Amino acid sequence: MSAIDLVETAAGLPEAWSSRVLGTVGATCVKVLRMDELPVGEERHRAPEALLVLDGRLELEVDGAPVSVRAGSLFMVPAGATHAVRAGSRGTLVIVELPEE
């Protein structure tokens, strides 16, 4: 397997917030996506989720509290936490999560 250019892969996706699975590590999926300034509705997962901002900025609301994640930063969403993307998020995001059953 060769190296994957994450920013180029995200830029080539047909739509923002449409992720591409890059592979798996054990039971977890590693995905990349492009953010586009628009908000995304609430969700909740049974397991923790890792959100790594490669470039740009991710604006979240986690259990009712605003969270800003800058480029080069990793945010861990706790299992069971309600979280939503707020308007203004942009750039490239890597997500590491367990697939929902």
Side-chain angles (χ1 to χ4, degrees):
M1 178 160 190
S2 60
I4 299 169
D5 184 322
L6 298 171
V7 174
E8 183 179 294
T9 300
L13 292 171
E15 296 178 13
W17 299 108
S18 173
S19 64
R20 176 176 173 201
V21 175
L22 302 171
T24 58
V25 178
T28 61
C29 285
V30 179
K31 305 189 292 189
V32 66
L33 60 80
R34 182 179 75 251
M35 301 178 281
D36 73 346
E37 304 273 348
L38 296 177
V40 177
E42 281 188 351
E43 55 185 28
R44 179 185 302 224
H45 305 287
R46 62 180 173 78
E49 179 179 42
L51 305 174
L52 172 62
V53 178
L54 296 181
D55 61 64
R57 183 180 205 94
L58 174 61
E59 300 293 341
L60 293 170
E61 186 166 308
V62 180
D63 285 337
V67 176
S68 293
V69 187
R70 297 180 194 187
S73 297
L74 173 72
F75 183 78
M76 297 294 298
V77 179
T82 300
H83 57 287
V85 176
R86 296 182 295 139
S89 298
R90 64 195 179 287
T92 308
L93 179 66
V94 173
I95 301 173
V96 181
E97 66 182 0
L98 286 173
E100 294 290 325
E101 295 179 354

